[in-house]
Amino acid sequence: MAPLLFFFFLLCNFIAQIESQTADQTVRTFIFRVDSHSKPSIFPTHYHWYTSEFADPPQILHVYDTVFHGFSATLSSDHVASISQHPSVLAVFEDRRRQLHTTRSPQFLGLRNQRGLWSESDYGSDVIVGVFDTGIWPERRSFSDKNLGPIPRRWKGVCETGVKFLATNCNKKLIGARFFIKGHEAAANAGGPMVAINGSVEFRSPRDADGHGTHTASTAAGRYAFQASMSGYASGIAKGVAPKSRLAVYKVCWKDSGCFDSDILAAFDAAVNDGVDVISISIGGGDGISSPYYLDPIAIGSYGAVSRGVFVSSSAGNDGPNGMSVTNLAPWLTTVGAGTIDRNFPAVVVLGDGRRLSGVSLYAGAPLKGKMYPLVYPGKSGMLSASLCMENSLDPRLVRGKIVICDRGNNPRVAKGMVVKKAGGVGMILANGISNGEGLVGDAHLLPAAAIGADEGDAVKAYVSSTKTASATIDFQGTVIGIKPAPVVASFSGRGPNGLNPEILKPDLIAPGVNILAAWTDAVGPTGLESDTRKTEFNILSGTSMACPHVSGAAALLKSAHPDWSPAAIRSAMMTTAGITNNQNKTMTDEATGTPSTTPYDLGAGHLNLDRAMDPGLVYDITGDDYVRFLCSVGYGPRVIQVITRSPPNCPAKRTSPGNLNYPSIAALFPTSTAGLSSKTFIRTVTNVGQPNAVYRPIIEAPKGVKVTVKPSKLVFTEAVNKRSYLVTVAVDGKNLVLGESGGVFGSLYWSDGRHAVRSPIVVTQMDPL
């Protein structure tokens, strides 16, 4: 009996060990930052070291050696815990998934044929723009290389082949294409939710199955395409901001499954090695929370790029109009919010009582021709799913033959229309809620549909409640240009203050991001829905994803016109010349509220104005050492800073203020306990890039209740002296300081020589350290 018991004990113990090992062996992807100087000399390469000491070759996904030193690997938690103890490992973070931030705009930015920045920069010729997105549809006219010169000799990139993508798909315009999939596949193999790539709709190659990447690439640098339109809307000549710039595409995002940090970091490494001049990345955190810079691969990768002279443009996110919703906060990134342009696609909702409600639509099917249809609001029942027109939520008996009111939110706007259509509805009115306010974007709906603002939404619902015979029709009015006011800050555009370091104003500026026409994939219809079988060469999209490539293209033009300018100088030129008024010469308004209450938290330094950015007069330059001092000033230790900068930092003995980074904006933070008189002094240094002999004097527009003084009272530049520093003192009386709804008061500092007006926004707020 004893031997049997002993055997039973051994068996139980063995099973317990197996279960314990299984629990500890859950495999996930991690990114390891390794001190590259620690590599033992016996290993010929870092890869040999990593595979010998840290992980087996099949486990390693990417080895990073340019913008970042280290590797990513799929490992168990136990294995990761063991590696973390290694003295050469500076940081470990788990791979995360990011989301995409989803014609006439070049003219609206002040670009004109044969003169100004387009002419001075030869339309961005020979500047290389790298686009991190969903790939590209290379056959589009926007990517023609007709009349382009040879590929720049410094280019070291490749044209990777794959499913339906050949080496011949690259040309003198699209000079490089790569795809990064290992992080995705590792997450899918580990059983991650919604991660596996669907081979029936996606291409294992740089070819774009989603459309977003084709759209952003052609916005930044698309060639002239005549007779362009989206089903008749926005017809004209389509062109990118930098039509002669070369494109290099890095596919890091995959249809319906996001973009993984490990792949994004590998793309940064490749792009910098390949020789790009500009990186455009319309990607960010989808969770509304900004990670510290040392845990954010977009911040880390872009630091490595910027330190090598590459300009990086990023999107501010689409979680506005909520405060502190801006993403991509690192001060070396240029963070772009979205505004409207002076073009719209009106659709008027006509009610049975004769009222006409203004909306927008890109519906291109058979019109309703003024016929009135019964109007119904399924949300009257109190069921949230019915009010939102979610899948299978509508009763066909209630909606058949009628126009249906659907509330915006939760599911895609165009998907709501499909739900209505499947249930037998003849049309849809898409009503904004309070969170979207009056902000409208056009959609290529599959049934007659119009989007209306929150006020009109309330009006149409009240009408339905007031009568048993409610009816409506929709009048589609095509394309209208010359809209006033414009630009207007898009309601969805990510807003400040900066959630990591409020001393750095974010977003930096805004650019066109509403109803933008650009090239599109053949893989999906304009709505992106599986059931949409239409094909279109161009599509119209909205988002800070669309605003970001406008700034990327602008950076390419400025780089071409001024090859010696650093990324910080290029950003400064855009920020200090940005516009803060609309085409009615009035204060810009906010689409969310319709009121002229827009602040630097909403639009940063203002709206991109390329006519002025070419000749800014003065620029605020920032070196790598300046960024290191900034990281020291926010309390990061040497080991943490090295995760970002790759080399051990020398922090000054006395910590400086983060607000003294040489940024083209000034944010003065005072503690909430400030009751009496208090002041803060900032130092800034400007570089003269205009006429060598110039004298600049300050013009101060102090925020309400704030005293601003500047020393010296003038900046004198000569041929021998092109840099000057000055001090700005911001003084407040805590008792009498009245902050606005946004939590701040705002002003401006201009330096003027009579020809240039170099503007920096000033933000004053009371906020305790985060």
Side-chain angles (χ1 to χ4, degrees):
M1 193 69 179
L4 192 58
L5 278 172
F6 181 66
F7 173 75
F8 182 70
F9 171 77
L10 284 177
L11 183 63
C12 290
N13 194 38
F14 177 70
I15 291 169
Q17 279 184 320
I18 292 291
E19 286 177 345
S20 169
Q21 285 176 357
T22 304
D24 291 337
Q25 299 312 311
T26 307
V27 171
R28 299 194 301 279
T29 302
F30 293 85
I31 300 168
F32 298 86
R33 171 71 174 87
V34 181
D35 181 356
S36 62
H37 305 295
S38 301
K39 179 179 76 67
S41 57
I42 58 167
F43 297 110
T45 68
H46 282 85
Y47 177 75
H48 286 88
W49 179 32
Y50 300 153
T51 53
S52 298
E53 200 156 341
F54 298 114
D56 294 330
Q59 296 172 310
I60 290 186
L61 304 179
H62 299 291
V63 171
Y64 311 108
D65 59 10
T66 302
V67 301
F68 183 80
H69 279 295
F71 63 95
S72 51
T74 51
L75 302 169
S76 69
S77 300
D78 282 1
H79 196 159
V80 170
S82 168
I83 294 176
S84 302
Q85 302 306 310
H86 195 286
S88 298
V89 174
L90 299 174
V92 180
F93 33 102
E94 192 169 350
D95 204 7
R96 285 194 310 160
R97 184 165 51 157
R98 305 298 184 110
Q99 303 296 337
L100 292 159
H101 284 154
T102 196
T103 99
R104 182 170 170 75
S105 46
Q107 292 97 304
F108 190 66
L109 294 177
L111 293 171
R112 300 289 181 271
N113 282 337
Q114 308 306 326
R115 63 188 174 92
L117 185 51
W118 259 350
S119 177
E120 294 281 329
S121 67
D122 190 24
Y123 301 83
S125 181
D126 290 354
V127 175
I128 303 165
V129 179
V131 180
F132 291 14
D133 215 296
T134 62
I136 196 162
W137 197 264
E139 291 82 6
R140 289 294 177 239
R141 289 185 289 158
S142 299
F143 310 124
S144 160
D145 66 355
K146 189 177 179 183
N147 299 327
L148 280 182
I151 293 170
R153 295 173 82 172
R154 68 184 188 283
W155 175 245
K156 299 196 288 283
V158 297
C159 191
E160 285 186 355
T161 58
V163 176
K164 296 197 175 173
F165 202 93
L166 305 173
T168 52
N169 286 128
C170 291
N171 57 21
K172 289 183 289 186
K173 174 68 174 177
L174 176 60
I175 63 173
R178 295 180 184 264
F179 64 103
F180 299 83
I181 197 170
K182 291 177 181 176
H184 257 292
E185 292 183 330
N189 292 337
M194 287 180 58
V195 171
I197 287 166
N198 183 343
S200 63
V201 297
E202 183 53 281
F203 307 99
R204 204 174 187 284
S205 75
R207 186 170 288 278
D208 181 11
D210 179 274
H212 193 278
T214 301
H215 199 278
T216 54
S218 61
T219 299
R223 299 299 302 279
Y224 282 66
F226 293 87
Q227 296 182 321
S229 76
M230 198 287 287
S231 301
Y233 285 99
S235 57
I237 303 168
K239 54 194 164 298
V241 177
K244 282 192 183 178
S245 286
R246 315 308 173 109
L247 276 167
V249 165
Y250 299 81
K251 182 173 176 177
V252 295
C253 303
W254 298 80
K255 185 171 171 59
D256 301 328
S257 49
C259 340
F260 277 83
D261 282 343
S262 56
D263 293 334
I264 293 171
L265 202 48
F268 270 112
D269 235 33
V272 173
N273 272 323
D274 288 347
V276 302
D277 301 298
V278 174
I279 289 173
S280 188
I281 179 164
S282 294
I283 301 167
D287 49 14
I289 299 167
S290 294
S291 301
Y293 310 127
Y294 59 88
L295 293 178
D296 179 358
I298 293 179
I300 294 167
S302 59
Y303 181 92
V306 168
S307 67
R308 284 169 162 79
V310 178
F311 180 95
V312 184
S313 171
S314 60
S315 45
N318 297 337
D319 291 330
N322 302 317
M324 216 177 274
S325 54
V326 60
T327 66
N328 291 322
L329 303 175
W332 45 87
L333 280 168
T334 299
T335 309
V336 190
T340 65
I341 61 173
D342 61 345
R343 178 180 67 198
N344 205 4
F345 310 103
V348 178
V349 175
V350 184
L351 301 182
D353 61 7
R355 278 183 291 167
R356 297 170 67 84
L357 308 178
S358 296
V360 301
S361 182
L362 294 169
Y363 170 70
L368 297 179
K369 296 182 177 175
K371 182 177 177 182
M372 302 298 287
Y373 290 89
L375 184 62
V376 62
Y377 176 47
K380 269 174 70 176
S381 67
M383 280 184 62
L384 181 64
S385 60
S387 73
L388 293 167
C389 298
M390 304 286 280
E391 192 70 39
N392 300 319
S393 68
L394 300 182
D395 182 349
R397 292 170 299 179
L398 176 69
V399 305
R400 189 176 289 117
K402 298 174 183 173
I403 291 177
V404 180
I405 303 165
C406 298
D407 288 324
R408 185 170 167 183
N410 285 55
N411 53 333
R413 300 182 299 272
V414 287
K416 296 174 190 288
M418 279 304 296
V419 172
V420 170
K421 190 174 183 179
K422 276 197 257 179
V426 296
M428 175 179 71
I429 297 169
L430 182 62
N432 277 4
I434 193 164
S435 63
N436 296 110
E438 305 311 307
L440 301 178
V441 292
D443 291 302
H445 293 284
L446 286 155
L447 84 170
I452 57 175
D455 291 346
E456 286 86 351
D458 290 343
V460 75
K461 289 172 197 171
Y463 166 63
V464 168
S465 297
S466 70
T467 175
K468 291 181 178 176
T469 57
S471 63
T473 190
I474 305 171
D475 178 18
F476 301 99
Q477 300 188 338
T479 305
V480 177
I481 58 173
I483 295 289
K484 293 183 178 179
V488 171
V489 178
S491 62
F492 57 76
S493 186
R495 313 298 172 99
N498 179 331
L500 285 182
N501 296 109
E503 301 90 347
I504 306 297
L505 179 66
K506 290 286 180 177
D508 292 307
L509 73 168
I510 63 170
V514 178
N515 295 333
I516 303 300
L517 179 85
W520 192 244
T521 178
D522 254 358
V524 291
T527 61
L529 295 176
E530 211 175 304
S531 53
D532 186 357
T533 57
R534 295 174 294 175
K535 296 279 187 276
T536 180
E537 184 184 4
F538 297 91
N539 199 4
I540 294 170
L541 298 182
S542 299
T544 56
S545 275
M546 284 62 250
C548 167
H550 280 89
V551 166
S552 309
L557 296 179
L558 290 169
K559 183 84 176 169
S560 186
H562 303 285
D564 57 330
W565 280 10
S566 70
I570 291 171
R571 173 177 58 196
S572 173
M574 293 185 203
M575 287 177 67
T576 62
T577 60
I580 53 172
T581 56
N582 58 31
N583 55 3
Q584 294 175 315
N585 209 24
K586 294 179 180 173
T587 303
M588 240 184 275
T589 52
D590 187 339
E591 192 181 42
T593 60
T595 60
S597 59
T598 299
T599 74
Y601 285 158
D602 305 322
L603 52 76
H607 191 277
L608 181 63
N609 182 338
L610 285 176
D611 211 19
R612 294 180 55 215
M614 178 180 65
D615 179 22
L618 305 175
V619 294
Y620 293 81
D621 211 350
I622 304 176
T623 67
D625 288 344
D626 294 328
Y627 288 128
V628 169
R629 278 192 292 274
F630 167 79
L631 293 170
C632 297
S633 76
V634 299
Y636 287 4
R639 196 174 172 91
V640 166
I641 293 173
Q642 193 181 347
V643 171
I644 303 165
T645 62
R646 302 184 310 285
S647 348
N650 290 315
C651 285
K654 186 181 177 188
R655 192 193 290 183
T656 58
S657 162
N660 279 331
L661 181 67
N662 200 37
Y663 222 71
S665 53
I666 294 167
L669 272 60
F670 294 92
T672 51
S673 56
T674 301
L677 292 171
S678 187
S679 69
K680 284 184 181 279
T681 298
F682 303 87
I683 186 167
R684 291 289 186 270
T685 301
V686 285
T687 304
N688 181 19
V689 294
Q691 293 297 318
N693 297 299
V695 178
Y696 281 82
R697 289 180 170 82
I699 301 166
I700 300 166
E701 294 176 354
K704 193 173 180 183
V706 176
K707 185 180 180 185
V708 178
T709 53
V710 176
K711 290 181 180 177
S713 59
K714 63 181 179 181
L715 302 176
V716 180
F717 297 94
T718 64
E719 292 197 16
V721 178
N722 73 336
K723 284 185 189 292
R724 290 289 186 191
S725 296
Y726 65 90
L727 297 175
V728 183
T729 301
V730 178
V732 301
D733 181 349
K735 282 184 192 168
N736 302 322
L737 185 64
V738 180
L739 302 177
E741 273 183 39
S742 60
V745 285
F746 311 97
S748 300
L749 167 63
Y750 293 84
W751 285 101
S752 175
D753 65 348
R755 182 176 162 211
H756 303 94
V758 186
R759 177 182 171 273
S760 291
I762 299 173
V763 175
V764 178
T765 188
Q766 286 185 312
M767 186 182 293
D768 293 317
L770 296 170

